[in-house]
Amino acid sequence: MWKVYKYTLIDLARNKFVGGWLLLLLAISLGLFQLEDQPVKAMLSLSQVLLALVPLVASVFTIVYLYDATDFTELLAVQPLHRSKILGGQVMALGTALVLGALLGAGIPMMIFLPGGASATLLLACIMLTLVFTAIGALIAIRNREKARGVGLGLVVWFLFVLVYDAVLLWVMFAFSDYPIEPLIVPLAALDPIDLGRIMVMLKVDLAAMMGYSGAVYEKFFGSIRGILIALFALAAWVLLPAALAFRSFRRKDF
Amino acid sequence: MERVLFEQVGKQYGKLWALRAFSARFVPGETVSVIGPNGSGKTTMIKCLLGLVHATTGSIQVNGQRVGTDPAYRHQVGHMPQISRFPNELKIGQLINLMDDIRGSELARNDGPLMKELGVDRMMDKRLGTLSGGQRQKVSAVLAFRYAPSVLVLDEPTAGLDPVSAESLLAAVRDIKRTGCTVLITSHLMEEVEALADRIAYLQEGRLQFLLSPEEVIETTGHNRLSKAIPAMLTRNPKAHVESV
Protein backbone atom coordinates (compact mmCIF):
# COMPACT_ATOMS: atom_id res chain seq x y z
CA MET A 1 0.00 0.00 0.00
CA TRP A 2 2.82 2.42 0.86
CA LYS A 3 4.35 1.99 -2.58
CA VAL A 4 1.10 3.03 -4.24
CA TYR A 5 0.70 5.80 -1.65
CA LYS A 6 4.20 7.15 -2.29
CA TYR A 7 3.94 7.31 -6.08
CA THR A 8 0.37 8.62 -6.06
CA LEU A 9 1.51 11.35 -3.70
CA ILE A 10 4.41 12.21 -6.04
CA ASP A 11 1.90 12.48 -8.88
CA LEU A 12 -0.41 14.64 -6.75
CA ALA A 13 2.45 16.87 -5.57
CA ARG A 14 2.95 17.97 -9.19
CA ASN A 15 -0.76 18.21 -9.88
CA LYS A 16 -1.72 21.77 -10.80
CA PHE A 17 -5.12 21.50 -9.14
CA VAL A 18 -3.63 20.63 -5.75
CA GLY A 19 -1.26 23.60 -6.00
CA GLY A 20 -4.13 25.82 -7.12
CA TRP A 21 -6.25 24.68 -4.18
CA LEU A 22 -3.48 25.61 -1.76
CA LEU A 23 -3.04 29.03 -3.33
CA LEU A 24 -6.80 29.68 -3.40
CA LEU A 25 -7.09 28.90 0.31
CA LEU A 26 -4.08 31.06 1.03
CA ALA A 27 -5.59 33.96 -0.92
CA ILE A 28 -9.01 33.63 0.75
CA SER A 29 -7.54 33.30 4.25
CA LEU A 30 -5.09 36.18 3.90
CA GLY A 31 -7.73 38.32 2.22
CA LEU A 32 -10.26 37.81 5.01
CA PHE A 33 -7.74 38.43 7.78
CA GLN A 34 -6.57 41.59 6.02
CA LEU A 35 -10.09 42.89 5.40
CA GLU A 36 -11.58 42.34 8.86
CA ASP A 37 -10.41 44.49 11.73
CA GLN A 38 -11.02 41.71 14.26
CA PRO A 39 -9.35 38.34 13.60
CA VAL A 40 -12.30 36.49 15.25
CA LYS A 41 -14.69 37.94 12.68
CA ALA A 42 -12.34 36.96 9.88
CA MET A 43 -12.10 33.48 11.33
CA LEU A 44 -15.89 33.16 11.40
CA SER A 45 -16.16 34.27 7.78
CA LEU A 46 -13.35 31.90 6.88
CA SER A 47 -15.08 29.04 8.66
CA GLN A 48 -18.24 29.57 6.57
CA VAL A 49 -16.18 29.49 3.38
CA LEU A 50 -14.03 26.52 4.41
CA LEU A 51 -16.88 24.40 5.71
CA ALA A 52 -18.61 24.71 2.34
CA LEU A 53 -15.58 24.67 0.03
CA VAL A 54 -13.47 21.91 1.61
CA PRO A 55 -16.13 19.17 1.17
CA LEU A 56 -16.87 20.28 -2.39
CA VAL A 57 -13.24 20.25 -3.50
CA ALA A 58 -12.41 17.02 -1.65
CA SER A 59 -15.27 15.04 -3.17
CA VAL A 60 -15.11 16.41 -6.73
CA PHE A 61 -11.31 16.23 -6.95
CA THR A 62 -11.28 12.67 -5.59
CA ILE A 63 -13.93 11.60 -8.09
CA VAL A 64 -12.17 13.23 -11.06
CA TYR A 65 -8.73 11.95 -10.03
CA LEU A 66 -9.90 8.38 -9.54
CA TYR A 67 -11.74 8.40 -12.89
CA ASP A 68 -8.69 9.78 -14.67
CA ALA A 69 -6.52 7.17 -12.98
CA THR A 70 -8.74 4.26 -14.05
CA ASP A 71 -6.23 2.87 -16.56
CA PHE A 72 -3.39 3.18 -14.07
CA THR A 73 -5.54 1.52 -11.42
CA GLU A 74 -6.13 -1.28 -13.92
CA LEU A 75 -2.37 -1.56 -14.42
CA LEU A 76 -1.92 -1.85 -10.65
CA ALA A 77 -4.76 -4.37 -10.43
CA VAL A 78 -2.88 -6.81 -12.68
CA GLN A 79 0.15 -6.65 -10.40
CA PRO A 80 0.58 -8.99 -7.42
CA LEU A 81 -1.16 -6.57 -5.08
CA HIS A 82 -4.35 -6.93 -3.08
CA ARG A 83 -6.97 -4.52 -4.34
CA SER A 84 -7.43 -3.07 -0.86
CA LYS A 85 -3.80 -1.96 -0.94
CA ILE A 86 -4.27 -0.23 -4.29
CA LEU A 87 -7.32 1.73 -3.20
CA GLY A 88 -5.88 2.32 0.27
CA GLY A 89 -2.72 3.85 -1.21
CA GLN A 90 -4.61 6.03 -3.67
CA VAL A 91 -7.22 7.31 -1.20
CA MET A 92 -4.68 7.95 1.53
CA ALA A 93 -2.53 9.90 -0.91
CA LEU A 94 -5.54 11.95 -2.03
CA GLY A 95 -6.48 12.62 1.60
CA THR A 96 -2.90 13.59 2.45
CA ALA A 97 -2.56 15.99 -0.50
CA LEU A 98 -5.88 17.70 0.19
CA VAL A 99 -5.28 17.90 3.95
CA LEU A 100 -1.84 19.40 3.35
CA GLY A 101 -3.40 21.90 0.94
CA ALA A 102 -5.88 22.95 3.61
CA LEU A 103 -3.28 23.03 6.40
CA LEU A 104 -0.81 25.12 4.43
CA GLY A 105 -3.34 27.28 2.60
CA ALA A 106 -5.66 28.11 5.49
CA GLY A 107 -3.72 26.91 8.51
CA ILE A 108 -0.68 29.14 8.18
CA PRO A 109 -2.67 32.42 7.98
CA MET A 110 -4.91 31.29 10.84
CA MET A 111 -1.97 30.47 13.06
CA ILE A 112 -0.37 33.82 12.23
CA PHE A 113 -3.44 36.04 12.72
CA LEU A 114 -5.41 34.08 15.32
CA PRO A 115 -3.34 31.42 17.03
CA GLY A 116 -5.27 29.34 19.53
CA GLY A 117 -7.99 26.79 20.08
CA ALA A 118 -10.57 28.25 17.70
CA SER A 119 -8.22 28.11 14.72
CA ALA A 120 -7.02 24.66 15.68
CA THR A 121 -10.62 23.43 15.92
CA LEU A 122 -11.48 24.86 12.52
CA LEU A 123 -8.42 23.18 11.03
CA LEU A 124 -9.39 19.92 12.71
CA ALA A 125 -12.89 20.22 11.26
CA CYS A 126 -11.37 20.90 7.81
CA ILE A 127 -9.11 17.85 8.10
CA MET A 128 -12.01 15.62 9.10
CA LEU A 129 -14.28 16.99 6.36
CA THR A 130 -11.53 16.47 3.79
CA LEU A 131 -11.20 12.84 4.83
CA VAL A 132 -14.97 12.32 4.95
CA PHE A 133 -15.53 13.72 1.46
CA THR A 134 -12.47 11.98 0.04
CA ALA A 135 -13.98 8.70 1.24
CA ILE A 136 -17.41 9.64 -0.15
CA GLY A 137 -15.79 10.69 -3.45
CA ALA A 138 -13.95 7.36 -3.67
CA LEU A 139 -17.17 5.46 -3.06
CA ILE A 140 -18.96 7.43 -5.79
CA ALA A 141 -16.09 7.00 -8.27
CA ILE A 142 -15.91 3.25 -7.72
CA ARG A 143 -19.64 2.61 -7.93
CA ASN A 144 -20.31 4.69 -11.05
CA ARG A 145 -18.66 3.94 -14.36
CA GLU A 146 -19.35 7.32 -15.99
CA LYS A 147 -17.27 10.29 -14.96
CA ALA A 148 -20.00 12.90 -15.61
CA ARG A 149 -22.50 10.90 -13.58
CA GLY A 150 -19.99 10.51 -10.77
CA VAL A 151 -19.17 14.21 -10.64
CA GLY A 152 -22.88 15.07 -10.78
CA LEU A 153 -23.60 12.71 -7.92
CA GLY A 154 -20.73 14.24 -5.95
CA LEU A 155 -22.23 17.70 -6.42
CA VAL A 156 -25.68 16.49 -5.39
CA VAL A 157 -24.30 14.87 -2.21
CA TRP A 158 -22.37 18.04 -1.36
CA PHE A 159 -25.42 20.25 -1.94
CA LEU A 160 -27.53 17.92 0.17
CA PHE A 161 -25.13 18.11 3.08
CA VAL A 162 -24.16 21.76 2.82
CA LEU A 163 -27.65 23.21 2.53
CA VAL A 164 -30.62 20.91 2.11
CA TYR A 165 -30.19 18.73 5.17
CA ASP A 166 -29.93 21.62 7.64
CA ALA A 167 -32.98 23.25 6.04
CA VAL A 168 -34.94 20.02 6.40
CA LEU A 169 -33.80 19.71 9.99
CA LEU A 170 -34.96 23.25 10.69
CA TRP A 171 -38.31 22.51 9.10
CA VAL A 172 -38.68 19.39 11.25
CA MET A 173 -37.96 21.45 14.36
CA PHE A 174 -40.63 24.01 13.51
CA ALA A 175 -43.14 21.43 12.41
CA PHE A 176 -42.76 19.41 15.61
CA SER A 177 -42.04 22.28 17.98
CA ASP A 178 -44.87 21.20 20.26
CA TYR A 179 -43.15 17.89 20.95
CA PRO A 180 -39.99 17.18 23.00
CA ILE A 181 -37.82 16.29 20.00
CA GLU A 182 -34.61 18.05 21.08
CA PRO A 183 -32.92 14.74 22.05
CA LEU A 184 -33.54 13.58 18.49
CA ILE A 185 -31.67 16.53 17.02
CA VAL A 186 -28.32 15.28 18.30
CA PRO A 187 -28.34 12.02 16.30
CA LEU A 188 -30.08 13.75 13.39
CA ALA A 189 -27.35 16.41 13.18
CA ALA A 190 -24.75 13.64 13.21
CA LEU A 191 -26.17 12.45 9.89
CA ASP A 192 -24.68 15.53 8.19
CA PRO A 193 -20.87 15.71 8.36
CA ILE A 194 -20.78 19.39 7.38
CA ASP A 195 -23.16 20.15 10.23
CA LEU A 196 -20.84 18.27 12.54
CA GLY A 197 -17.88 20.34 11.37
CA ARG A 198 -19.83 23.53 11.92
CA ILE A 199 -20.88 22.39 15.39
CA MET A 200 -17.26 21.65 16.33
CA VAL A 201 -16.14 25.12 15.30
CA MET A 202 -19.03 27.02 16.84
CA LEU A 203 -18.79 25.21 20.14
CA LYS A 204 -15.18 26.32 20.41
CA VAL A 205 -15.75 29.88 19.21
CA ASP A 206 -18.72 30.12 21.57
CA LEU A 207 -20.98 32.27 19.46
CA ALA A 208 -24.39 30.74 19.96
CA ALA A 209 -25.96 33.03 17.38
CA MET A 210 -23.83 31.47 14.64
CA MET A 211 -24.41 27.94 15.76
CA GLY A 212 -27.60 27.05 14.03
CA TYR A 213 -30.24 25.04 15.77
CA SER A 214 -28.39 21.76 15.92
CA GLY A 215 -25.25 23.43 17.27
CA ALA A 216 -27.22 25.04 20.04
CA VAL A 217 -28.71 21.69 20.97
CA TYR A 218 -25.29 20.07 21.01
CA GLU A 219 -23.97 22.70 23.37
CA LYS A 220 -27.01 22.41 25.61
CA PHE A 221 -26.67 18.64 25.78
CA PHE A 222 -22.97 18.14 25.97
CA GLY A 223 -21.15 21.36 26.72
CA SER A 224 -18.35 22.46 24.44
CA ILE A 225 -15.52 19.93 24.95
CA ARG A 226 -17.78 16.89 25.18
CA GLY A 227 -19.77 18.15 22.19
CA ILE A 228 -16.60 18.58 20.13
CA LEU A 229 -15.42 15.09 21.01
CA ILE A 230 -18.76 13.57 20.10
CA ALA A 231 -18.83 15.51 16.82
CA LEU A 232 -15.27 14.31 16.15
CA PHE A 233 -16.25 10.73 16.86
CA ALA A 234 -19.26 11.01 14.54
CA LEU A 235 -17.01 12.48 11.82
CA ALA A 236 -14.60 9.57 12.22
CA ALA A 237 -17.56 7.25 11.63
CA TRP A 238 -18.36 9.32 8.54
CA VAL A 239 -14.84 8.59 7.24
CA LEU A 240 -14.93 4.91 8.04
CA LEU A 241 -18.37 4.01 6.71
CA PRO A 242 -18.02 5.26 3.11
CA ALA A 243 -14.39 4.08 3.06
CA ALA A 244 -15.47 0.57 4.09
CA LEU A 245 -18.18 0.57 1.43
CA ALA A 246 -15.68 1.84 -1.16
CA PHE A 247 -13.20 -0.95 -0.32
CA ARG A 248 -15.98 -3.54 -0.49
CA SER A 249 -17.08 -2.27 -3.91
CA PHE A 250 -13.50 -2.06 -5.18
CA ARG A 251 -12.78 -5.67 -4.21
CA ARG A 252 -15.80 -6.79 -6.25
CA LYS A 253 -15.33 -4.36 -9.12
CA ASP A 254 -14.99 -5.60 -12.69
CA PHE A 255 -12.68 -3.42 -14.74
CA MET B 1 1.54 -29.73 -17.24
CA GLU B 2 -0.58 -26.86 -18.49
CA ARG B 3 0.54 -23.33 -17.78
CA VAL B 4 -2.93 -21.84 -17.97
CA LEU B 5 -6.12 -23.80 -17.48
CA PHE B 6 -9.62 -22.46 -18.10
CA GLU B 7 -12.45 -24.69 -16.92
CA GLN B 8 -15.99 -23.79 -17.95
CA VAL B 9 -15.34 -20.08 -17.41
CA GLY B 10 -18.32 -17.83 -17.95
CA LYS B 11 -18.92 -14.16 -17.34
CA GLN B 12 -22.32 -12.56 -17.18
CA TYR B 13 -22.97 -8.81 -17.27
CA GLY B 14 -26.60 -8.26 -16.36
CA LYS B 15 -28.48 -10.56 -18.73
CA LEU B 16 -25.63 -10.76 -21.24
CA TRP B 17 -23.15 -13.62 -21.18
CA ALA B 18 -19.93 -12.08 -22.48
CA LEU B 19 -18.12 -15.41 -22.12
CA ARG B 20 -19.78 -18.82 -22.02
CA ALA B 21 -18.30 -22.05 -20.69
CA PHE B 22 -14.82 -21.29 -21.97
CA SER B 23 -12.49 -24.23 -21.46
CA ALA B 24 -8.93 -24.42 -22.71
CA ARG B 25 -5.46 -25.38 -21.63
CA PHE B 26 -2.35 -23.54 -22.71
CA VAL B 27 1.06 -25.17 -22.32
CA PRO B 28 4.52 -23.68 -21.65
CA GLY B 29 6.27 -22.20 -24.64
CA GLU B 30 3.24 -21.85 -26.88
CA THR B 31 1.82 -18.71 -28.40
CA VAL B 32 -1.93 -18.60 -28.73
CA SER B 33 -3.64 -15.96 -30.84
CA VAL B 34 -7.03 -15.11 -29.44
CA ILE B 35 -9.12 -13.77 -32.27
CA GLY B 36 -12.74 -13.03 -33.03
CA PRO B 37 -15.01 -10.16 -34.00
CA ASN B 38 -15.65 -7.18 -31.73
CA GLY B 39 -17.68 -8.19 -28.69
CA SER B 40 -16.77 -11.84 -29.07
CA GLY B 41 -15.46 -12.19 -25.52
CA LYS B 42 -11.70 -11.94 -26.15
CA THR B 43 -11.13 -9.09 -23.73
CA THR B 44 -13.42 -10.65 -21.13
CA MET B 45 -11.47 -13.91 -21.35
CA ILE B 46 -8.18 -12.07 -20.89
CA LYS B 47 -9.55 -9.94 -18.06
CA CYS B 48 -10.78 -13.06 -16.28
CA LEU B 49 -7.25 -14.49 -16.51
CA LEU B 50 -5.74 -11.26 -15.19
CA GLY B 51 -8.23 -11.04 -12.35
CA LEU B 52 -9.61 -7.74 -13.60
CA VAL B 53 -13.01 -9.36 -14.02
CA HIS B 54 -14.52 -11.91 -11.67
CA ALA B 55 -15.75 -14.98 -13.56
CA THR B 56 -19.40 -15.82 -12.92
CA THR B 57 -18.81 -19.53 -13.44
CA GLY B 58 -15.86 -21.87 -13.71
CA SER B 59 -12.26 -21.54 -12.63
CA ILE B 60 -8.88 -20.50 -13.98
CA GLN B 61 -5.46 -21.74 -12.91
CA VAL B 62 -2.04 -20.29 -13.69
CA ASN B 63 0.79 -22.72 -12.95
CA GLY B 64 -1.59 -24.59 -10.68
CA GLN B 65 -2.53 -21.47 -8.69
CA ARG B 66 -6.19 -20.63 -8.82
CA VAL B 67 -7.08 -17.15 -10.01
CA GLY B 68 -9.14 -15.64 -7.23
CA THR B 69 -8.54 -13.56 -4.19
CA ASP B 70 -4.79 -14.26 -3.79
CA PRO B 71 -2.93 -12.00 -6.23
CA ALA B 72 0.39 -13.88 -5.85
CA TYR B 73 -0.07 -15.71 -9.17
CA ARG B 74 0.29 -12.36 -10.95
CA HIS B 75 4.02 -12.44 -10.19
CA GLN B 76 4.13 -14.83 -13.14
CA VAL B 77 1.97 -12.76 -15.47
CA GLY B 78 2.95 -9.90 -17.74
CA HIS B 79 0.30 -7.79 -19.42
CA MET B 80 0.32 -5.21 -22.16
CA PRO B 81 -3.10 -3.56 -22.52
CA GLN B 82 -4.45 -2.25 -25.78
CA ILE B 83 -4.50 1.32 -24.50
CA SER B 84 -2.05 2.48 -21.86
CA ARG B 85 -2.55 5.50 -19.66
CA PHE B 86 -0.43 6.38 -16.68
CA PRO B 87 -0.35 9.13 -14.03
CA ASN B 88 0.46 12.30 -15.97
CA GLU B 89 2.89 13.77 -13.49
CA LEU B 90 5.09 10.71 -12.92
CA LYS B 91 8.22 10.18 -14.96
CA ILE B 92 8.84 6.94 -16.84
CA GLY B 93 11.68 6.12 -14.46
CA GLN B 94 9.41 6.59 -11.46
CA LEU B 95 6.74 4.33 -12.95
CA ILE B 96 9.34 1.63 -13.58
CA ASN B 97 10.66 2.06 -10.02
CA LEU B 98 7.11 1.63 -8.69
CA MET B 99 6.67 -1.57 -10.69
CA ASP B 100 10.12 -2.80 -9.59
CA ASP B 101 9.06 -2.18 -5.98
CA ILE B 102 5.87 -4.15 -6.48
CA ARG B 103 7.24 -7.01 -8.56
CA GLY B 104 10.68 -7.30 -7.00
CA SER B 105 13.55 -5.51 -8.70
CA GLU B 106 15.68 -8.69 -8.74
CA LEU B 107 13.41 -9.98 -11.49
CA ALA B 108 13.71 -6.84 -13.56
CA ARG B 109 15.79 -7.15 -16.71
CA ASN B 110 17.40 -3.76 -16.39
CA ASP B 111 19.51 -4.32 -19.48
CA GLY B 112 16.66 -5.89 -21.44
CA PRO B 113 17.11 -5.41 -25.17
CA LEU B 114 13.49 -4.38 -25.61
CA MET B 115 13.96 -1.27 -23.49
CA LYS B 116 16.87 -0.19 -25.69
CA GLU B 117 15.29 -1.19 -28.96
CA LEU B 118 12.11 0.71 -28.19
CA GLY B 119 14.13 3.67 -26.95
CA VAL B 120 12.50 3.70 -23.53
CA ASP B 121 15.90 3.85 -21.80
CA ARG B 122 16.42 7.29 -23.32
CA MET B 123 13.10 8.63 -22.05
CA MET B 124 13.37 7.80 -18.34
CA ASP B 125 13.08 11.46 -17.26
CA LYS B 126 10.09 12.18 -19.47
CA ARG B 127 6.76 12.84 -17.80
CA LEU B 128 4.18 10.19 -18.69
CA GLY B 129 1.60 12.87 -19.42
CA THR B 130 3.75 14.19 -22.27
CA LEU B 131 4.06 10.84 -24.10
CA SER B 132 2.32 10.06 -27.37
CA GLY B 133 0.09 6.99 -27.65
CA GLY B 134 2.88 5.02 -29.32
CA GLN B 135 5.40 5.98 -26.64
CA ARG B 136 2.97 4.88 -23.93
CA GLN B 137 2.61 1.54 -25.72
CA LYS B 138 6.38 1.16 -25.66
CA VAL B 139 6.49 1.79 -21.90
CA SER B 140 3.67 -0.68 -21.48
CA ALA B 141 5.54 -3.28 -23.55
CA VAL B 142 8.68 -2.85 -21.46
CA LEU B 143 6.69 -3.34 -18.26
CA ALA B 144 4.98 -6.47 -19.64
CA PHE B 145 8.29 -8.17 -20.50
CA ARG B 146 10.38 -6.81 -17.64
CA TYR B 147 9.69 -9.27 -14.83
CA ALA B 148 10.40 -12.57 -16.62
CA PRO B 149 6.75 -13.64 -16.81
CA SER B 150 5.81 -17.24 -17.46
CA VAL B 151 2.49 -16.05 -18.92
CA LEU B 152 2.42 -13.01 -21.17
CA VAL B 153 -0.86 -11.42 -22.21
CA LEU B 154 -0.66 -8.96 -25.08
CA ASP B 155 -3.77 -7.12 -26.19
CA GLU B 156 -3.33 -5.73 -29.72
CA PRO B 157 0.34 -5.13 -28.93
CA THR B 158 1.47 -3.56 -32.19
CA ALA B 159 -1.49 -1.18 -32.57
CA GLY B 160 -0.09 2.35 -32.47
CA LEU B 161 3.54 1.27 -32.79
CA ASP B 162 5.77 2.29 -35.67
CA PRO B 163 6.84 -0.63 -37.93
CA VAL B 164 10.38 -0.85 -36.52
CA SER B 165 9.14 -0.92 -32.92
CA ALA B 166 6.42 -3.39 -33.85
CA GLU B 167 9.03 -5.72 -35.32
CA SER B 168 11.19 -5.38 -32.18
CA LEU B 169 8.19 -6.28 -30.07
CA LEU B 170 7.35 -9.34 -32.19
CA ALA B 171 11.00 -10.44 -31.98
CA ALA B 172 10.79 -10.10 -28.20
CA VAL B 173 7.70 -12.31 -28.24
CA ARG B 174 9.59 -14.99 -30.16
CA ASP B 175 12.52 -14.69 -27.73
CA ILE B 176 10.45 -14.97 -24.57
CA LYS B 177 8.55 -17.90 -26.02
CA ARG B 178 11.84 -19.79 -26.29
CA THR B 179 12.25 -19.43 -22.52
CA GLY B 180 9.04 -21.41 -22.01
CA CYS B 181 6.72 -18.45 -21.56
CA THR B 182 3.12 -18.95 -22.64
CA VAL B 183 1.96 -16.02 -24.73
CA LEU B 184 -1.67 -15.08 -25.28
CA ILE B 185 -2.03 -12.43 -27.90
CA THR B 186 -5.10 -10.75 -29.33
CA SER B 187 -4.74 -9.27 -32.77
CA HIS B 188 -6.79 -8.35 -35.78
CA LEU B 189 -3.74 -8.57 -38.03
CA MET B 190 -3.64 -11.94 -39.77
CA GLU B 191 0.05 -11.48 -40.64
CA GLU B 192 0.80 -11.28 -36.93
CA VAL B 193 -1.30 -14.34 -36.22
CA GLU B 194 0.42 -16.28 -38.99
CA ALA B 195 3.85 -15.17 -37.86
CA LEU B 196 3.45 -15.92 -34.16
CA ALA B 197 0.66 -18.32 -33.36
CA ASP B 198 1.16 -21.95 -32.49
CA ARG B 199 -2.59 -22.17 -32.00
CA ILE B 200 -5.53 -19.97 -32.75
CA ALA B 201 -8.45 -19.57 -30.34
CA TYR B 202 -11.45 -18.21 -32.18
CA LEU B 203 -14.24 -16.72 -30.10
CA GLN B 204 -17.67 -15.64 -31.25
CA GLU B 205 -20.57 -14.44 -29.13
CA GLY B 206 -18.69 -15.46 -26.02
CA ARG B 207 -18.11 -19.03 -27.16
CA LEU B 208 -14.90 -20.72 -28.21
CA GLN B 209 -15.49 -21.80 -31.79
CA PHE B 210 -12.19 -23.58 -32.34
CA LEU B 211 -8.74 -23.91 -30.86
CA LEU B 212 -6.38 -25.23 -33.50
CA SER B 213 -2.95 -24.66 -34.99
CA PRO B 214 -2.79 -22.49 -38.13
CA GLU B 215 -1.68 -25.58 -40.08
CA GLU B 216 -4.74 -27.50 -38.92
CA VAL B 217 -7.03 -24.62 -39.91
CA ILE B 218 -5.44 -24.41 -43.35
CA GLU B 219 -5.45 -28.19 -43.80
CA THR B 220 -9.09 -28.51 -42.74
CA THR B 221 -10.35 -25.80 -45.06
CA GLY B 222 -8.02 -26.21 -48.00
CA HIS B 223 -7.29 -22.46 -48.12
CA ASN B 224 -3.64 -21.51 -47.96
CA ARG B 225 -4.14 -18.17 -46.18
CA LEU B 226 -5.56 -17.78 -42.68
CA SER B 227 -7.60 -14.75 -43.71
CA LYS B 228 -9.62 -17.05 -45.96
CA ALA B 229 -9.27 -20.24 -43.96
CA ILE B 230 -10.74 -18.86 -40.74
CA PRO B 231 -14.09 -17.73 -42.23
CA ALA B 232 -14.26 -21.06 -44.07
CA MET B 233 -13.57 -22.85 -40.80
CA LEU B 234 -16.56 -21.21 -39.17
CA THR B 235 -18.94 -22.52 -41.80
CA ARG B 236 -17.94 -26.09 -40.90
CA ASN B 237 -18.63 -27.72 -37.58
CA PRO B 238 -16.28 -25.75 -35.39
CA LYS B 239 -17.36 -27.22 -32.06
CA ALA B 240 -15.70 -30.48 -33.10
CA HIS B 241 -12.36 -28.71 -32.94
CA VAL B 242 -12.63 -27.40 -29.42
CA GLU B 243 -10.51 -29.48 -27.13
CA SER B 244 -12.10 -31.09 -24.13
CA VAL B 245 -10.60 -30.16 -20.79
Side-chain angles (χ1 to χ4, degrees), chain B residues 33-36 154 156-158 185-190 192-193:
Chain B
S33 274
V34 183
I35 60 173
L154 306 171
E156 301 277 352
T158 56
I185 179 167
T186 70
S187 181
H188 286 114
L189 301 174
M190 280 302 126
E192 245 173 53
V193 175

Side-chain angles (χ1 to χ4, degrees), chain A residues 73-113:
Chain A
T73 306
E74 203 171 305
L75 174 68
L76 292 173
V78 299
Q79 307 305 321
L81 277 176
H82 282 284
R83 285 192 178 187
S84 55
K85 291 182 179 176
I86 298 170
L87 185 66
Q90 287 180 326
V91 171
M92 277 177 56
L94 279 160
T96 304
L98 291 166
V99 162
L100 281 176
L103 283 179
L104 296 175
I108 290 173
M110 276 197 276
M111 288 305 164
I112 291 170
F113 289 98

Side-chain angles (χ1 to χ4, degrees), chain A residues 60 63-64 67-68 140-141 144-156:
Chain A
V60 172
I63 291 166
V64 170
Y67 273 114
D68 290 346
I140 290 171
N144 294 278
R145 283 194 173 270
E146 289 173 42
K147 184 177 178 178
R149 185 185 156 99
V151 172
L153 200 56
L155 290 173
V156 167

